[in-house]
Amino acid sequence: MSTETGAATGNETSRIHNIGYRAYDGPRLGRAYARRSLYSQTLRGSFGLGRSAKSKVLPMLLFGVMCMVAAIIVAVAIATPGTTRLPIKYTSFAIYLQPVISLFIAAQAPQAVSRDLRFKTVPLYFSRPIEHGDYVLAKFAAMASAVFVLTGAPVVILYIGALLGKFDFGDQTEWFAQGMVSVLLLSVLFAGLGLVMAALTPRRGFGVAAVIALLMITYGAVSTVQGIAWSTGSEGAVPWLGLFSPLTLVDGVQTAFLGASSAFPGGNGPGSGTGVVYLLVVLALVAGSYAVLMRRYRKVGL
């Protein structure tokens, strides 16, 4: 309801009205709160939480597949007489389930960033006390956390199942720790690369295709070339070829430093010397992904 506060000026129908706007006098929570809220919203959205029922189907289905496979492995190991360890290493689980992980990132990375680009809402974020680095850090951390939940939960199931099966506690705990480090590395690397691919275009379909091409097609291509090199007697080239695919990079690092069995042809994974190169490439890709996202959002945030 408006209140008249002025008189006619130059014309009997002209009036000045006080429409009751009040200044905000509540708490100002600042950048940290905005960053946490953006992180929480993106993480929840990666699993469809807070979104429509249709949006929950695919992420929850993929999460269920990961956990179900782990549970089946545990059940088989416990039911088999004389078994003293799981039939699969903790560090190998994510390698074998790579298609599921790639589909999850392909579906959820565009959801995390493409909608803001498509509907041109990015400048609205920066009209608040939040900077480009806050936005990128929150999105990056949320996507990495979502992938870590997807890959880490099955590893936890394997570990709990191994303890229930009364396998050696010391060995299982050591292998479990190695597996968690492995999936953490994979989560950060895959999240960064997936977000970069998704942020290049506001179109969700193109983002999905780009992520699948980077994570799945490159792995298939590199694995094929490694197999050819192995079969033609060029075994020395096999470890170096692994530098050209995100998944083989993770495989190489965990083979060199985490006691994992390599999925390379003939088990011909990198040694500790070559493993340092693998680790440096992984770190460079993570840092490069963050830098590319910062550059992208400085441009679209204008």
Coordinates of all heavy atoms in Angstrom, one line a residue, residues 8-9 17 23 26 31-32 38 57 71 97 116 137 149 162 166 181 185 188 190 195 264:
A8 N 1.3 18.3 -5.8 CA 1.4 18.4 -7.3 C 2.5 19.3 -7.7 O 2.8 20.3 -7.1 CB 0.1 18.9 -7.8
T9 N 3.2 18.9 -8.8 CA 4.3 19.7 -9.3 C 4.1 19.9 -10.8 O 4.3 19.0 -11.6 CB 5.7 19.0 -9.1 OG1 5.6 17.7 -9.6 CG2 6.0 18.9 -7.6
H17 N 5.2 9.2 -4.5 CA 4.7 8.2 -3.5 C 5.8 7.5 -2.8 O 6.8 7.2 -3.4 CB 3.8 7.2 -4.2 CG 2.6 7.8 -4.9 ND1 1.4 8.0 -4.2 CD2 2.4 8.2 -6.2 CE1 0.5 8.5 -5.0 NE2 1.1 8.6 -6.2
A23 N 15.6 -0.9 3.6 CA 16.9 -1.4 3.4 C 17.0 -2.8 4.2 O 16.4 -3.0 5.2 CB 17.9 -0.4 4.0
G26 N 19.4 -7.5 7.8 CA 19.7 -8.8 8.4 C 21.2 -9.1 8.3 O 22.0 -8.3 7.9
R31 N 31.0 -14.3 1.3 CA 31.4 -15.2 0.2 C 31.5 -16.6 0.7 O 31.2 -17.5 -0.1 CB 32.8 -14.7 -0.3 CG 32.8 -13.5 -1.1 CD 34.3 -13.0 -1.4 NE 35.0 -14.1 -2.0 CZ 36.3 -14.0 -2.2 NH1 37.0 -13.0 -1.7 NH2 37.0 -15.0 -2.8
A32 N 32.0 -16.8 1.9 CA 32.1 -18.2 2.4 C 30.8 -19.0 2.4 O 30.7 -20.1 1.9 CB 32.7 -18.3 3.7
L38 N 26.6 -22.9 -2.9 CA 26.8 -23.4 -4.3 C 27.4 -24.8 -4.3 O 26.9 -25.6 -5.2 CB 27.7 -22.4 -5.0 CG 27.8 -22.6 -6.5 CD1 26.5 -22.5 -7.2 CD2 28.8 -21.5 -7.1
V57 N 16.6 -40.5 -11.5 CA 16.7 -41.9 -12.0 C 18.1 -42.3 -12.4 O 18.6 -43.3 -12.0 CB 15.7 -42.0 -13.2 CG1 15.9 -43.4 -13.8 CG2 14.3 -41.8 -12.8
A71 N 28.7 -55.4 -3.9 CA 28.1 -56.4 -3.0 C 28.1 -57.8 -3.6 O 28.3 -58.8 -2.8 CB 26.6 -55.9 -2.8
L97 N 34.9 -50.6 -13.7 CA 33.6 -49.9 -13.8 C 33.7 -48.6 -14.4 O 32.8 -47.7 -14.3 CB 33.0 -49.8 -12.4 CG 32.2 -51.0 -11.9 CD1 30.9 -51.2 -12.7 CD2 33.0 -52.3 -11.8
D116 N 23.6 -22.9 -16.3 CA 23.9 -21.5 -16.0 C 24.4 -20.8 -17.3 O 24.1 -19.6 -17.4 CB 25.0 -21.5 -15.0 CG 24.5 -22.0 -13.6 OD1 23.3 -22.0 -13.4 OD2 25.4 -22.3 -12.8
L137 N 35.7 -22.9 -7.9 CA 36.1 -23.8 -6.8 C 34.9 -24.6 -6.3 O 35.0 -25.8 -6.0 CB 36.7 -23.0 -5.7 CG 37.3 -23.8 -4.5 CD1 38.4 -24.8 -4.9 CD2 37.8 -22.9 -3.4
V149 N 32.0 -39.9 -4.1 CA 30.9 -40.7 -3.4 C 30.6 -41.9 -4.3 O 30.4 -43.1 -3.8 CB 29.7 -39.8 -3.2 CG1 28.5 -40.7 -2.8 CG2 29.9 -38.8 -2.2
A162 N 34.9 -57.6 3.3 CA 36.1 -58.4 3.6 C 36.2 -58.6 5.1 O 36.7 -59.7 5.5 CB 37.3 -57.7 3.0
K166 N 36.0 -62.1 7.5 CA 37.1 -62.5 8.4 C 38.4 -62.7 7.6 O 39.3 -63.5 7.9 CB 36.8 -63.7 9.2 CG 35.6 -63.5 10.1 CD 35.4 -64.7 11.0 CE 34.2 -64.5 11.9 NZ 33.9 -65.7 12.8
V181 N 42.7 -43.8 -1.9 CA 43.6 -42.8 -2.6 C 43.4 -42.8 -4.1 O 43.4 -41.8 -4.7 CB 45.1 -43.0 -2.2 CG1 46.0 -42.1 -3.0 CG2 45.3 -42.8 -0.7
L185 N 42.1 -39.7 -6.4 CA 42.8 -39.1 -7.6 C 41.9 -39.2 -8.8 O 41.9 -38.2 -9.6 CB 44.1 -39.9 -7.8 CG 45.0 -39.5 -8.9 CD1 45.6 -38.2 -8.6 CD2 46.1 -40.5 -9.1
V188 N 39.1 -36.4 -8.7 CA 39.6 -35.0 -9.0 C 39.9 -34.8 -10.5 O 39.5 -33.8 -11.1 CB 40.8 -34.6 -8.1 CG1 41.3 -33.3 -8.5 CG2 40.4 -34.7 -6.6
F190 N 38.9 -36.7 -13.2 CA 37.7 -36.8 -14.0 C 36.8 -35.7 -13.9 O 36.1 -35.2 -14.8 CB 37.0 -38.2 -13.7 CG 37.6 -39.3 -14.5 CD1 39.0 -39.4 -14.7 CD2 36.8 -40.4 -14.9 CE1 39.5 -40.5 -15.3 CE2 37.4 -41.5 -15.6 CZ 38.7 -41.5 -15.8
L195 N 34.1 -31.1 -16.3 CA 33.6 -29.8 -16.2 C 34.1 -28.9 -17.3 O 33.4 -28.1 -17.9 CB 33.9 -29.2 -14.9 CG 33.2 -29.7 -13.7 CD1 33.7 -29.1 -12.4 CD2 31.7 -29.5 -13.8
F264 N 47.3 -52.6 -18.2 CA 48.0 -52.5 -19.5 C 48.3 -53.9 -20.0 O 48.3 -54.9 -19.3 CB 49.3 -51.8 -19.3 CG 49.2 -50.3 -19.0 CD1 48.0 -49.7 -18.9 CD2 50.3 -49.5 -18.9 CE1 47.9 -48.4 -18.6 CE2 50.3 -48.2 -18.6 CZ 49.0 -47.6 -18.4

